[in-house]
């Protein structure tokens, strides 16, 4: 079985250096990809506290730090390990093959869009 089955290319490995978080799109799904201590992590790009962009945050030893209000999310589980967020973010299966970052999204990944953008309210 090819190591890329069910995974989609997101970026070249060099686009996400250690200690950095970047935003990428897989179809309509916006994700944050972070690297800490050589390991790459992929997750929803929206904080569950107030939908801030996690790709504007920071990769830290403890987890992904949201730059808006300081919530920190565990890379592996998505659980908030520092408030004010109380709900986990979605994490995605990720691997690196031949210098590329590949992510596998579940069928319901489009549900990970921010709440404020799903309301249909314009203004």
């Amino acid at each position: 079985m090819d190591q890329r089955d069910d995974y989609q290319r997101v970026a070249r490995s060099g686009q996400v250096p250690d200690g950095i978080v970047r935003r990428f799109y897989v179809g309509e799904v916006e994700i944050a990809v972070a690297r800490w201590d050589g390991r790459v992590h992929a997750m929803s790009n929206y904080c569950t506290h107030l939908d801030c962009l996690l790709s504007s945050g920071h990769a830290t030893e403890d987890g992904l730090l949201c730059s808006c209000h300081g919530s920190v999310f565990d890379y592996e589980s998505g659980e908030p390990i520092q408030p004010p967020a109380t709900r986990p973010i979605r994490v995605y299966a990720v691997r690196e093959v031949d210098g590329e970052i590949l992510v596998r999204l579940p069928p319901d990944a489009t549900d990970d869009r921010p709440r404020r953008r799903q309301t249909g309210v314009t203004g």
Side-chain angles (χ1 to χ4, degrees):
M1 179 181 242
D2 188 331
Q3 291 186 31
R4 296 168 198 222
D5 287 347
D6 299 327
Y7 283 77
Q8 298 178 59
R9 181 189 181 279
V10 173
R12 292 183 319 276
S13 294
Q15 289 179 269
V16 186
D18 208 52
I20 298 296
V21 185
R22 295 267 160 82
R23 172 173 60 178
F24 296 99
Y25 290 89
V26 178
E28 294 182 21
V29 180
E30 189 173 340
I31 64 172
V33 177
R35 185 184 302 274
W36 183 260
D37 200 22
R39 291 195 60 205
V40 69
H41 307 276
M43 59 221 67
S44 169
N45 196 31
Y46 297 101
C47 180
T48 55
H49 176 235
L50 290 176
D51 288 331
C52 288
L53 293 177
L54 293 173
S55 57
S56 296
H58 304 281
T60 71
E61 182 177 3
D62 296 325
L64 186 62
L65 170 67
C66 179
S67 63
C68 288
H69 300 105
S71 295
V72 177
F73 297 91
D74 182 81
Y75 292 121
E76 300 297 323
S77 69
E79 289 293 327
I81 54 178
Q82 183 172 311
T86 58
R87 292 179 297 117
I89 58 172
R90 170 89 58 105
V91 295
Y92 303 114
V94 62
R95 60 174 57 148
E96 287 188 88
V97 178
D98 298 329
E100 294 184 331
I101 297 171
L102 307 169
V103 175
R104 183 176 61 203
L105 298 182
D108 65 345
T110 56
D111 295 343
D112 294 340
R113 290 178 288 198
R115 293 179 305 272
R116 68 173 178 250
R117 294 186 188 168
Q118 291 179 0
T119 62
V121 175
T122 59

